[in-house]
Amino acid sequence: MEGLKEQVRQILFNKSRIIGKVESGKKGPAIVFCGGIHGNEPAGVLALIRVFDTIKERKIKINGKVLGFIGNRIALHKHKRFIESDLNRLWTSNNIHKLHNTGFTSNEITSEKTEMIEIDELLMSFIKGTEAKHRYFVDLHTTSSTTIPFAAIDRMKQSVEFAMQLPIPFIINLDEFLEGTLMHYLDHINFGAMVFEAGKHEDPISVNIHEALVWLVLYISGAVAKEDVPNYEGCLTLLGGINEHPHQIFNIIHREPANNGSFRMAQTFVNFQPIKKGDLLAYNGVNKIACQHDGFLFMPLYQDQGADGYFIVRKAQKELSIDPIHN
Ligand SMILES: [Zn+2]
């Protein structure tokens, strides 16, 4: 990890937000990857560095164009989730309106709003001239607890079709519980978009899993040929091989907030662990929090920062109702 961490440092010192950008001039998809929108999650950035290095070294031909960028540069530099507010909760309708119309007033500007403005400029210039139906976006994250690789998407046709091609379970209604994700914004500008969670923050395997996901996305979107994916079978195994729920679709049915720093999980849980109503899950100060529904535990919080204590998810019905247009 050390060598790669040094590369992250170098990228930040060079003040570059862009990790890599390749464009062939040939017809094809427009694909965007974001790493480090949470500054304590460098694995996605490290994986993107590796992928763009490989593309360059092996002179891999790309159809369309691919962009990889760093989300929260200052927070990543300081190894903190965020500086003033979570950059992955700022992309609300209200803020997007300000971004594209009135702008922010000087007293609204924070460290993260500055990042937001720059990211938006980058995205707007990247999508110029690209076809809406061939846009893909993946936001690369890691979690504070151990997890199988999984994705979260909004209930949109192009995002479901995108996610179904990958051997990972996904959560389909994140937008009902989390406002202002970057993914939500990418939905609005017509990307097939997903949040991808590779594994635990500090685990070097999380970098490998991100790398595998990036390659598979490049392949399924038609940006690279299958034979150009280094170790295609290995990528599939790395993503799906340790997974009990490949292709399962889950709904969030409960969100437990973690407001004032007094929240803690009652024990070490694993993401997607089956749970029963009444199980002791967490404490809020001295108060016990019992599990509200039968289902699977999702995203238990094991760090100081974060507004979401845990979620409870259930397998969704086979027949999905999918919104053709996001509201
Ligand atoms: Zn994250």
Side-chain angles (χ1 to χ4, degrees):
M1 285 282 272
E2 265 316 301
L4 289 166
K5 270 188 183 160
E6 182 53 34
Q7 287 188 51
V8 171
R9 251 175 245 132
Q10 283 304 324
I11 283 198
L12 290 166
F13 284 142
N14 293 336
K15 302 206 185 306
S16 173
R17 179 176 300 281
I18 295 173
I19 301 166
K21 191 177 168 190
V22 281
E23 189 169 356
S24 62
K26 283 207 286 182
K27 230 175 134 57
I31 310 166
V32 178
F33 298 97
C34 173
I37 195 167
H38 290 137
N40 59 334
E41 302 176 14
V45 178
L46 301 175
L48 288 169
I49 291 171
R50 284 192 199 163
V51 171
F52 281 102
D53 280 354
T54 305
I55 290 172
K56 201 172 160 190
E57 281 160 19
R58 299 191 182 185
K59 300 187 176 68
I60 292 172
K61 290 197 175 62
I62 299 285
N63 300 313
K65 53 184 185 172
V66 185
L67 169 70
F69 73 89
I70 296 172
N72 198 334
R73 299 177 62 240
I74 299 171
L76 186 69
H77 198 52
K78 293 185 188 277
H79 310 289
K80 291 175 78 170
R81 189 171 173 84
F82 54 78
I83 305 300
E84 287 166 89
S85 59
D86 189 333
L87 181 56
N88 204 28
R89 300 289 183 276
L90 284 186
W91 305 83
T92 58
S93 306
N94 190 19
N95 277 345
I96 292 167
H97 179 80
K98 287 183 183 175
L99 204 56
H100 290 174
N101 297 283
T102 55
F104 295 104
T105 62
S106 58
N107 55 10
E108 284 176 315
I109 289 290
T110 58
S111 176
E112 273 77 19
K113 293 262 176 59
T114 310
E115 304 274 346
M116 188 186 186
I117 292 164
E118 283 183 23
I119 290 169
D120 187 51
E121 282 170 0
L122 180 64
L123 290 171
M124 286 298 125
S125 82
F126 185 76
I127 63 170
K128 240 179 231 155
T130 65
E131 282 179 77
K133 61 178 180 180
H134 292 128
R135 291 178 191 157
Y136 301 93
F137 170 71
V138 187
D139 198 8
L140 303 171
H141 288 252
T142 49
T143 56
S144 61
S145 69
T146 308
T147 184
I148 51 169
F150 71 92
I153 62 171
D154 286 339
R155 196 182 287 267
M156 296 180 70
K157 189 169 180 288
Q158 77 264 30
S159 301
V160 174
E161 285 171 359
F162 179 33
M164 286 299 279
Q165 296 180 73
L166 295 161
I168 48 174
F170 57 94
I171 307 286
I172 197 168
N173 61 335
L174 193 70
D175 61 335
E176 292 168 25
F177 294 86
L178 301 186
E179 226 203 333
T181 62
L182 177 58
M183 169 173 74
H184 184 68
Y185 176 52
L186 273 288
D187 287 341
H188 276 265
I189 51 175
N190 296 309
F191 277 74
M194 71 168 70
V195 165
F196 177 68
E197 303 274 0
K200 211 173 172 185
H201 296 326
E202 313 80 28
D203 190 345
I205 298 294
S206 299
V207 183
N208 299 355
I209 290 174
H210 273 317
E211 200 182 352
L213 187 276
V214 170
W215 281 113
L216 287 183
V217 167
L218 292 176
Y219 166 61
I220 64 173
S221 62
V224 302
K226 193 173 177 180
E227 54 271 23
D228 283 332
V229 175
N231 193 4
Y232 174 78
E233 293 300 327
C235 291
L236 285 180
T237 307
L238 204 49
L239 285 174
I242 50 175
N243 223 325
E244 283 176 38
H245 308 284
H247 289 301
Q248 293 274 8
I249 306 166
F250 291 85
N251 264 317
I252 299 172
I253 56 169
H254 178 85
R255 170 187 177 265
E256 188 65 28
N259 287 329
N260 45 19
S262 53
F263 176 91
R264 69 189 160 88
M265 297 302 298
Q267 53 167 293
T268 304
F269 293 99
V270 189
N271 211 15
F272 289 98
Q273 181 172 330
I275 45 171
K276 288 248 171 289
K277 187 172 177 177
D279 289 352
L280 174 64
L281 290 186
Y283 294 95
N284 189 358
V286 290
N287 299 321
K288 291 176 175 174
I289 306 173
C291 180
Q292 293 85 349
H293 308 273
D294 291 354
F296 297 89
L297 186 65
F298 177 60
M299 299 282 279
L301 181 73
Y302 290 101
Q303 60 194 8
D304 298 336
Q305 284 178 307
D308 315 308
Y310 61 81
F311 297 88
I312 299 172
V313 300
R314 262 190 204 155
K315 287 177 187 169
Q317 301 298 318
K318 280 266 188 304
E319 293 78 28
L320 283 169
S321 67
I322 297 162
D323 307 337
I325 297 162
H326 210 273
N327 51 25

